[in-house]
Amino acid sequence: MRLKIVRLIGMIIVISALCFLMFGCTPDESISTEDTTVRLNMNTEYAVTDTLPDGEGKHAKVILLLGQSNATGCSINSYLKENIGENEYRRYEEGFPSVLINYCLDDHNATSNGEFVKVDLTCGSGNGFFGPEVGIAEVISEAYPDETVFILKYTMSGYSLHYHWLCAGERGSIYQAFLSFAQTYMELLSEKNYDAKIGAVCWMQGESDTTDFKASHYYENQTAFVSYLREDLNAYAEDGGIYFIDAGISNSPYCEPAYPAINEAKEKFSKQSEMNLYFSTIDLGFTIHKEPEGEPDWGHYDSLSELELGKKFGEYIIDIYSRKSGALNE
């Protein structure tokens, strides 16, 4: 019962955000982007809770996890347990101590209180929900068993790239709040004597851009967005720069009518550079129609698909660092 109540509250928040987007800030489709600006009053005060050991100058991989609610994590822990069994579930519940995450979700609605904590099943939108960081941590902890890897996770559920991450093509309210978040904790890592470098961004976003108007601008918006990321985070970037790993959105009824246009824009962007990567969650068979049973949440991936989303990000991350290693050895 408690889980259902929490789930209901979460859905109310998401639906409210979507309604705000649809009725409070989406212009007539004949109006240009220059005619409409949306400013959010974002909280950019980030606590710093220092529990890290001294890094002793060691190189440390840093991954950014950004996007909206499927990046936030709205998939249900109890269904994951049903699907994979208690023994396997316990491994995720215990977490991955070598993969540490610092997160701020939905403008401080859920945070790690400024602390780097191990990735487990408690880093999602609320009690009883998890996000793609779990699958990421599983894969990369196996690939780098002798390293500590860091994830910086910043998400805003129900908000668009067009109006909120960006604003009239420039750095928008969410982007600026995220940048302050990233800088705060990259500086913390530096102060703790880690040679911490950002190697990749994992981007799970686009569902809130699926009107025809916003979708028609997604390619140019994403081009600008990633350009800003690479420019503003260049001081923290791995040698060779920051890769951008982009997940396609689902064909949920919530993503009508323009989910094909969003995914086409994402795929087109991936062809700009070998540092831009894309995978289709539709082609991979990810589902959004099974959970909760009898009353599916069409906006969010079912538990196994959310886990696989993270694993797919993790596989790309490993491939990226393999490429970098190969380039250094040439």
Side-chain angles (χ1 to χ4, degrees), residues 175-196:
Y175 181 90
Q176 294 181 50
F178 147 72
L179 184 61
S180 179
F181 168 83
Q183 291 170 336
T184 296
Y185 299 113
M186 289 302 295
E187 290 303 314
L188 172 61
L189 291 173
S190 177
E191 290 168 7
K192 295 299 295 185
N193 203 23
Y194 290 91
D195 178 25

Side-chain angles (χ1 to χ4, degrees), residues 118-255:
K118 69 177 179 179
V119 172
D120 58 19
L121 293 170
T122 68
C123 307
S125 62
N127 185 33
F129 303 98
F130 73 97
E133 66 281 345
V134 176
I136 294 174
E138 178 181 15
V139 170
I140 62 179
S141 65
E142 293 173 356
Y144 311 113
D146 300 322
E147 297 183 35
T148 298
V149 179
F150 297 96
I151 297 175
L152 293 176
K153 176 179 175 181
Y154 191 93
T155 64
M156 282 289 286
S157 302
Y159 285 86
S160 70
L161 176 62
H162 187 79
Y163 289 113
H164 303 103
W165 284 89
L166 300 184
C167 184
E170 301 298 326
R171 297 164 176 83
S173 302
I174 298 176
Y175 181 90
Q176 294 181 50
F178 147 72
L179 184 61
S180 179
F181 168 83
Q183 291 170 336
T184 296
Y185 299 113
M186 289 302 295
E187 290 303 314
L188 172 61
L189 291 173
S190 177
E191 290 168 7
K192 295 299 295 185
N193 203 23
Y194 290 91
D195 178 25
K197 300 294 183 182
I198 299 171
V201 176
C202 298
W203 179 242
M204 181 65 253
Q205 195 279 339
E207 296 92 338
S208 291
D209 287 87
T210 51
T211 65
D212 288 331
F213 175 78
K214 285 180 283 186
S216 70
H217 292 278
Y218 201 86
Y219 173 76
E220 64 193 70
N221 284 336
Q222 183 149 298
T223 299
F225 173 64
V226 178
S227 175
Y228 296 148
L229 285 174
R230 288 173 173 152
E231 176 183 348
D232 296 338
L233 296 172
N234 182 62
Y236 310 111
E238 287 275 11
D239 291 343
I242 298 172
Y243 281 75
F244 187 80
I245 311 170
D246 191 10
I249 62 172
S250 76
N251 54 2
S252 161
Y254 288 175
C255 296

Side-chain angles (χ1 to χ4, degrees), residues 24-90:
C25 64
T26 301
D28 182 275
E29 304 235 337
S30 64
I31 299 175
S32 71
T33 57
E34 290 76 19
D35 294 328
T36 302
T37 58
V38 177
R39 303 292 183 188
L40 301 176
N41 184 24
M42 302 291 293
N43 180 355
T44 57
E45 296 294 324
Y46 301 106
V48 174
T49 304
D50 179 11
T51 58
L52 290 172
D54 190 278
E56 300 179 344
K58 293 179 181 178
H59 178 75
K61 298 177 175 68
V62 180
I63 307 301
L64 304 183
L65 175 56
L66 311 177
Q68 55 182 105
S69 58
N70 279 306
T72 299
C74 296
S75 299
I76 305 172
N77 293 355
S78 60
Y79 279 100
L80 181 64
K81 186 175 183 179
E82 286 183 19
N83 287 321
I84 65 176
E86 187 167 346
N87 290 338
E88 184 70 7
Y89 180 81
R90 189 176 299 116

